[in-house]
Amino acid sequence: MHSGHEVPDKVAAVVGIEALTSLVPPPAVPVGAEGDWHRVEADLGLRLPADYRELVTRYGSGGFGDIGLLTPFDPCAGGAGSLVGRAHALLDLHGPFRDEWPEDVPFPLHPEPGGVLEWALTGNGDALCWLTEGDPDDWPTVVWNVRGGAERFDLGAVALLHGYLVGRCEARLLPAPPSVPWFDPYRELSHVCFTLSDGELPYVERLRILRAALHPTADRGGFDNGDGVRQDHFKAVAREWRLTYENCYGHQVRVAFPPAEADEVRAVVLDAARTMGCEVLATTTR
């Protein structure tokens, strides 16, 4: 296992939940933030870290940018995406892979003694896990992807999130932190991808037109390799839509939105595409 970048002990010690909430305000009414912690811990056979319990209480279910927090009190029916649901599936999910390629899973898996236990996931399939060895309040975090290896950080959930969001804790598996950190509370959303033809206008002008059609918008970071390949994330503030415009994986607009607003999303994006000088080649919904 690769070791993570060193973070001074005194820095980790002073980073608590108040530092995180000052950086990223939690929702006024968190979703999936309350429940029976004693039952959860009995189900897992483990006591959970105090900072994680406070993290769930303040923020509930949702995501810090691309990092989705797993809570024990999953708002979705079935609970497969909850901390407990994922914990029960971990060994079945990764055990066979470890049997074939043990070098790619260099640690035990919960409920094995000292096994990793997921507390957050990214959209790219990366897992942020505790290594459940010793006192729960001292559990380190392992950032892990079976395709990319693992990094260990001697930080708990709150300290790692804060360090990552302020750029102090660099994890090679995680995307670059957003320029303005945010937390999205859980909502049931539909996702539509509009695949576009290139058109004749430059990328920056097409992006300007798209954002003007959705005004007001709030920037949520992105990617620019300096060679014309870009990915821009932003939010349509008045509508609570989350959008990505990019030419990284094809020329496309991706929108996450409340399911009842599907017709409005389609009308707005199609109109913007015409103004951008682009044709909608395909629409994919999930």
Side-chain angles (χ1 to χ4, degrees), residues 1-209:
M1 185 190 312
H2 300 289
S3 61
H5 297 269
E6 290 188 10
V7 179
D9 291 342
K10 68 177 183 179
V11 173
V14 300
V15 174
I17 192 66
E18 300 304 331
L20 185 61
T21 58
S22 295
L23 178 68
V24 186
V29 183
V31 178
E34 298 181 357
D36 188 341
W37 285 100
H38 293 295
R39 181 176 179 179
V40 168
E41 292 178 334
D43 196 349
L44 292 171
L46 294 168
R47 178 171 64 85
L48 293 171
D51 73 317
Y52 169 76
R53 292 177 55 148
E54 188 65 26
L55 181 66
V56 170
T57 299
R58 297 290 189 96
Y59 289 93
S61 184
F64 294 86
D66 194 46
I67 298 177
L69 180 63
L70 295 174
T71 84
F73 316 118
D74 181 40
C76 299
S82 73
L83 180 87
V84 175
R86 293 284 306 187
H88 288 326
L90 193 64
L91 190 57
D92 287 341
L93 183 64
H94 295 297
F97 181 90
R98 182 181 60 180
D99 292 342
E100 191 162 356
W101 293 285
E103 68 279 4
D104 292 327
V105 189
F107 32 66
L109 299 167
H110 180 80
E112 296 170 344
V116 290
L117 177 64
E118 297 168 331
W119 58 264
L121 302 171
T122 76
N124 192 44
D126 310 305
L128 285 72
C129 314
W130 294 294
L131 195 58
T132 59
E133 53 187 21
D135 189 298
D137 292 327
D138 296 327
W139 284 349
T141 292
V142 172
V143 181
W144 174 49
N145 187 312
V146 292
R147 303 184 306 273
E151 296 175 279
R152 172 176 169 151
F153 297 85
D154 291 325
L155 298 170
V158 168
L160 186 135
L161 284 171
H162 185 274
Y164 164 71
L165 292 170
V166 300
R168 184 184 298 126
C169 178
E170 298 179 7
R172 63 179 179 83
L173 291 176
L174 298 180
S179 53
V180 179
W182 73 86
F183 180 83
D184 282 324
Y186 168 82
R187 292 187 67 182
E188 182 183 353
L189 297 175
S190 293
H191 298 258
V192 173
C193 176
F194 298 87
T195 303
L196 308 179
S197 63
D198 285 336
E200 297 183 0
L201 295 175
Y203 179 97
V204 291
E205 178 62 13
R206 297 194 302 261
L207 175 62
R208 185 198 65 77
I209 292 170

